[in-house]
Amino acid sequence: MTRSEPDVRAEQEALFSTAAEHYARHRPGLPAVLFEAFPAAYVCLYVTDENDRPLQLHSVYSPGHPWHMIGGAMDLGERPWDAVVRECREETGMRAVGPPRLLATVFGVPRAQRPYSTLQLIFDGGRLTAEEIRGITLNPREHDEVRLLSLAEWEALMPARDFVRLRAVVEARRTGVAAYIDTWGNA
């Protein structure tokens, strides 16, 4: 059964209201601003070509993080894999297929421009064929370029904290052991 957009929004608002009430009872004194709808959970889909070169999208809105994996913020009440499927479709026109395989969990520390913690889940999207890569259709409001490069080439183009995350995800796929990164955003 497919739910309509108004039904989903109503459910999300009800969940948010319940969460705000819970914290008001159990954590009195927290600033009211904490109950505003901030995106705090994010998902990514790590994909490579058949030569295991990571695919990254160039952001048109984030100069501090110019190259991204496919992904974005989870909607309130949205399941992580559902968010991956939605983000993949919105950003690339591709269909993410499961089963979900978690490669990494990334904790983002609060900082001045984002005074709250974030959590990011990175899933394995597999290896794309040359035909699948040619079929990518970018959303121009978010990204303007797709690149597939070696890890060494990515290191030269990415901020250090972004490259640490990418390197950990590459290693997680290689070893089959999920990565845990709890220092992202410190730099």
Side-chain angles (χ1 to χ4, degrees):
M1 177 177 159
T2 304
R3 296 178 298 160
S4 70
E5 181 77 17
D7 289 341
V8 171
R9 291 289 169 213
E11 181 180 314
Q12 291 172 343
E13 288 173 14
L15 285 170
F16 179 73
S17 176
T18 301
E21 291 169 11
H22 168 82
Y23 280 105
R25 279 194 311 275
H26 298 286
R27 301 282 305 272
L30 284 178
V33 69
L34 293 179
F35 302 114
E36 293 179 19
F38 291 116
Y42 298 84
V43 294
C44 290
L45 188 66
Y46 173 72
V47 295
T48 62
D49 66 5
E50 294 174 311
N51 295 314
D52 287 326
R53 294 181 305 166
L55 180 142
Q56 300 279 290
L57 307 177
H58 186 258
S59 172
V60 298
Y61 59 83
S62 181
H65 301 279
W67 292 98
H68 295 189
M69 290 179 233
I70 298 163
M74 291 174 55
D75 290 338
L76 186 62
E78 188 175 31
R79 293 175 187 270
W81 184 251
D82 292 343
V84 166
V85 170
R86 176 183 53 76
E87 287 287 345
C88 188
R89 183 184 63 252
E90 289 174 2
E91 292 185 356
T92 68
M94 295 188 310
R95 184 172 167 262
V97 293
R101 180 173 169 238
L102 187 64
L103 290 176
T105 301
V106 182
F107 175 76
V109 298
R111 52 186 201 245
Q113 65 272 37
R114 189 197 66 227
Y116 51 89
S117 300
T118 61
L119 186 66
Q120 183 180 88
L121 302 172
I122 302 175
F123 292 91
D124 193 343
R127 291 171 177 87
L128 301 178
T129 65
E131 183 179 343
E132 289 171 317
I133 294 164
R134 283 190 301 274
I136 291 174
T137 303
L138 295 178
N139 178 342
R141 292 184 314 246
E142 296 192 44
H143 302 100
D144 60 4
E145 186 179 351
V146 176
R147 283 196 195 173
L148 291 141
L149 300 172
S150 70
L151 208 51
E153 291 170 308
W154 279 124
E155 186 173 18
L157 293 177
M158 302 176 96
R161 65 179 171 253
D162 292 354
F163 183 73
V164 165
R165 180 183 57 178
L166 179 60
R167 186 176 53 221
V169 169
V170 169
E171 184 67 7
R173 181 195 269 179
R174 187 186 70 73
T175 63
V177 177
Y180 173 72
I181 304 162
D182 66 0
T183 57
W184 197 71
N186 285 354

